[in-house]
Amino acid sequence: MQPVGAVVPLRVDIAEKTFRSAQGVSITALQDLSFEVRQGEFACLLGPSGCGKTTTLRILLGLDKDFSGSFQLPEGGSNRIAAVFQEPILLPWRTVEQNVRLALPKSLRTKNLDGLFDTLGLAGMRSLYPAELSLGLARRAALARAFATEPAVLFLDEPFASLDERTAERLRHLLLTVWSARPTTALMVTHNLREALMLSDRIIVLAQRPAHVLGMFDVRLPRHYRNPQVMSDLLRSFHQKFPGVV
Amino acid sequence: MTAPDTGDRTPGAAAGSQSSLATALTPVLTVAVSLLGLCLLWGFAANAWPSRAFPGPGQVWQVLLAEAASGDLFYHLGATLGRVAAAYVIAMVVGSVIGVALGSYRSADRFFSPWVILFLNIPALVVIVLAYIWFGLNEAAAIGAVAVNKIPNVVVTMREGARALDPNYAEMAAVYRFGLLDRIRHVLLPQLQPYLAAASRSGIALIWKIVLVVELLGRSNGVGFQIYLYFQLFDVAAILAYTLAFVAVMLVIELLVVQPVERHATRWRRRPA
């Protein structure tokens, strides 16, 4: 664990989050959910579908303020956050490049984005409108937008969920390439265990609703050692530690 | 070697450009022929029932030329056009702000909705008369009265537009900390564009008709004032000349301003590949 007083960029301590339906039925989505993400760490929030992962992320993004508890994002300096949503959410009336630049703070608006666009294979598509992109390319544009802002914390909400497996796999590799070139603290929500094992340093395993942390799974291995053989070992040890999860 | 080559190619290319030119011109030709037909019908009718109250197109054209030569036509067209533009801008800005606010906040909408219905149903004439009584026979009262007539229409249209806003874009803008101006310009207005276009279209047509009434009742220039003047002289040719001149101006605005702006605003929509 981190020594006391060390700077943790993301500390989450949500006591409770309850949804009330129009009929007055209330559903507790999150209860006593607390975890930390360390500096420069790529963490995954893994849990079954509908357990409240996206709800957690919406709270951290400041989009849902109706909850009890607290969370702490980096203060001072570059305290920007960036998000890659389940859908790309690009402005359809702006080109790919305009979409990326609009997300940048004024001081970075004119910065050189050639390297980022090249890495993501978007070099020739900067002047296209989102409607002219395939779903996979639109996700890459969403990734470009998130990384261009040089965020202190990057949030990813199942960014590859609605893609076919081959495209998703290619995008995961792209994500790793971009992330290694611009390491940033990242928290990704997913229900895909293989994806979590491939991408993350640490997996935060959530229980069924109401969501709380079941435990942590550290993947200490550097990413380039995670070949298929190692991955199946990781899968086995994960299932030993968390039987019945996912 | 080249000469026969070009000889072979030119007719084909010419035929291709001719046919594309023809398809481009067909709608224009249709409109021209249709308008010409209306003029002919008008001419025949005027010949069949000759009367001072029903002049033919030739007479109207003569009056139009005379008024243009004296400069009166342009002076009065300009005055009316200025009022239309001012009332249009005020109505669109105020109506859009109110409409978007009502569309975004349900409780405000529930409270103010009866006001909107009330103002929608106040006759234009009542607003104009009251404005002249309360604020005097001046330009501000005239333009304000026209704008107040149009604002409820804009409010209703823009309220629908605000209800149709996609919250995803607003959330994305919030996460990436877009400034207020960026949010309005790049997130809000593009989503409202179809509604703005609808409100503008119906707005310009309605506004210029109300402007004529305003001019007739309390102004000493403008197309409405001239029509009232020639009404007292029973000069139907001049009335028609002014009316047609202004309709022509509005048509030109539609073709040269409204349509190009709309094409520019919708350039991002999926085009044929």
Side-chain angles (χ1 to χ4, degrees):
Chain A
M1 279 267 95
Q2 290 256 302
V4 179
V7 186
V8 180
L10 178 62
R11 178 179 281 131
V12 179
D13 214 342
I14 299 170
E16 195 178 82
K17 163 73 194 169
T18 309
F19 287 105
R20 267 175 208 84
S21 74
Q23 282 81 37
V25 183
S26 65
I27 298 163
T28 308
L30 312 172
Q31 193 142 43
D32 298 325
L33 176 69
S34 56
F35 60 87
E36 292 174 356
V37 180
R38 298 177 208 136
Q39 180 66 44
E41 184 178 59
F42 195 121
C44 265
L45 213 52
L46 180 83
S49 279
C51 80
K53 305 183 294 287
T54 298
T55 306
T56 312
L57 215 56
R58 286 180 59 82
I59 289 175
L60 298 182
L61 288 171
L63 299 176
D64 192 336
K65 297 196 164 71
D66 180 26
F67 68 101
S68 59
S70 65
F71 63 88
Q72 189 187 315
L73 286 165
E75 281 166 24
S78 162
N79 60 355
R80 280 189 296 277
I81 56 171
V84 182
F85 304 92
Q86 282 181 12
E87 297 302 319
I89 314 190
L90 301 166
L91 300 173
W93 37 85
R94 296 287 177 261
T95 62
V96 169
E97 176 157 3
Q98 287 169 336
N99 262 289
V100 173
R101 288 203 188 274
L102 271 175
L104 300 178
K106 287 273 184 302
S107 55
L108 295 176
R109 277 279 160 93
T110 52
K111 88 175 202 182
N112 186 345
L113 294 169
D114 295 350
L116 185 64
F117 279 121
D118 276 343
T119 316
L120 285 165
L122 288 169
M125 331 231 159
R126 300 164 75 139
S127 58
L128 294 186
Y129 287 102
E132 298 166 311
L133 300 178
S134 70
L135 206 53
L137 284 173
R139 312 248 156 191
R140 293 191 206 188
L143 283 177
R145 177 174 62 191
F147 278 99
T149 58
E150 300 169 14
V153 184
L154 169 64
F155 295 98
L156 302 117
D157 185 7
E158 308 206 31
F160 312 127
S162 54
L163 293 171
D164 62 281
E165 189 43 39
R166 264 188 53 201
T167 315
E169 192 66 12
R170 197 170 332 129
L171 279 179
R172 281 178 205 127
H173 283 289
L174 268 179
L175 170 61
L176 275 187
T177 316
V178 186
W179 185 75
S180 332
R182 301 164 181 75
T184 164
T185 309
L187 179 66
M188 172 157 141
V189 155
T190 182
H191 62 262
N192 182 335
L193 175 58
R194 258 183 47 77
E195 182 173 274
L197 288 171
M198 173 187 165
L199 295 173
S200 61
D201 299 303
R202 204 151 62 107
I203 301 174
I204 300 158
V205 186
L206 294 188
Q208 273 287 10
R209 211 167 40 216
H212 56 272
V213 177
L214 266 187
M216 302 285 176
F217 186 84
D218 281 290
V219 191
R220 294 216 173 73
L221 224 54
R223 287 180 184 75
H224 55 271
Y225 288 132
R226 297 182 198 173
N227 56 37
Q229 173 61 40
V230 176
M231 284 290 280
S232 63
D233 289 349
L234 282 173
L235 269 171
R236 197 169 327 115
S237 57
F238 182 90
H239 283 305
Q240 271 167 9
K241 193 168 175 192
F242 298 102
V245 172
V246 189
Chain B
M1 279 308 286
T2 32
D5 218 336
T6 35
D8 274 353
R9 212 175 280 153
T10 320
S17 70
Q18 251 171 17
S19 71
S20 71
L21 196 69
T23 40
L25 278 180
T26 311
V28 180
L29 276 175
T30 316
V31 171
V33 169
S34 153
L35 288 179
L36 197 69
L38 189 64
C39 274
L40 283 176
L41 196 68
W42 174 14
F44 281 129
N47 271 331
W49 298 283
S51 152
R52 206 171 97 81
F54 190 26
Q59 270 170 282
V60 173
W61 182 245
Q62 290 302 324
V63 175
L64 195 67
L65 287 183
E67 291 285 319
S70 70
D72 277 1
L73 181 71
F74 301 110
Y75 169 68
H76 293 292
L77 278 184
T80 300
L81 209 56
R83 289 184 190 118
V84 169
Y88 167 79
V89 170
I90 294 171
M92 287 304 289
V93 171
V94 175
S96 297
V97 170
I98 298 176
V100 170
L102 293 189
S104 310
Y105 300 101
R106 284 183 78 107
S107 48
D109 185 33
R110 272 199 289 271
F111 185 82
F112 287 110
S113 180
W115 294 26
V116 174
I117 296 168
L118 183 81
F119 275 93
L120 264 177
N121 287 295
I122 293 181
L125 192 60
V126 174
V127 176
I128 296 164
V129 169
L130 287 179
Y132 278 147
I133 293 174
W134 289 338
F135 304 107
L137 290 174
N138 55 49
E139 205 63 51
I143 292 168
V146 179
V148 167
N149 272 306
K150 174 60 192 163
I151 285 171
N153 285 300
V154 182
V155 168
V156 169
T157 310
M158 297 313 289
R159 184 171 61 183
E160 289 309 313
R163 283 176 183 158
L165 290 176
D166 186 341
N168 280 334
Y169 295 127
E171 293 185 343
M172 187 277 291
V175 167
Y176 285 105
R177 298 182 195 165
F178 280 33
L180 181 67
L181 278 180
D182 278 349
R183 268 179 221 224
I184 292 174
R185 195 175 143 209
H186 301 293
V187 182
L188 188 64
L189 285 182
Q191 290 190 77
L192 293 177
Q193 185 273 328
Y195 297 89
L196 279 171
S200 291
R201 277 270 163 70
S202 65
I204 293 180
L206 181 71
I207 281 174
W208 99 261
K209 289 169 194 167
I210 301 175
V211 163
L212 291 202
V213 181
V214 168
E215 289 172 344
L216 183 149
L217 285 176
R219 298 279 73 209
S220 53
N221 57 10
V223 176
F225 171 78
Q226 287 298 95
I227 286 175
Y228 186 53
L229 179 76
Y230 289 119
F231 165 58
Q232 288 168 331
L233 302 174
F234 259 68
D235 188 344
V236 178
I239 292 174
L240 288 177
Y242 271 96
T243 310
L244 291 179
F246 203 80
V247 169
V249 169
M250 297 312 277
L251 250 173
V252 169
I253 290 176
E254 164 81 21
L255 289 175
L256 295 187
V257 181
V258 177
Q259 288 187 6
V261 165
E262 203 162 284
R263 266 199 297 279
H264 177 76
T266 54
R267 68 198 178 286
W268 55 273
R269 290 189 196 279
R270 195 188 288 275
R271 293 166 288 192

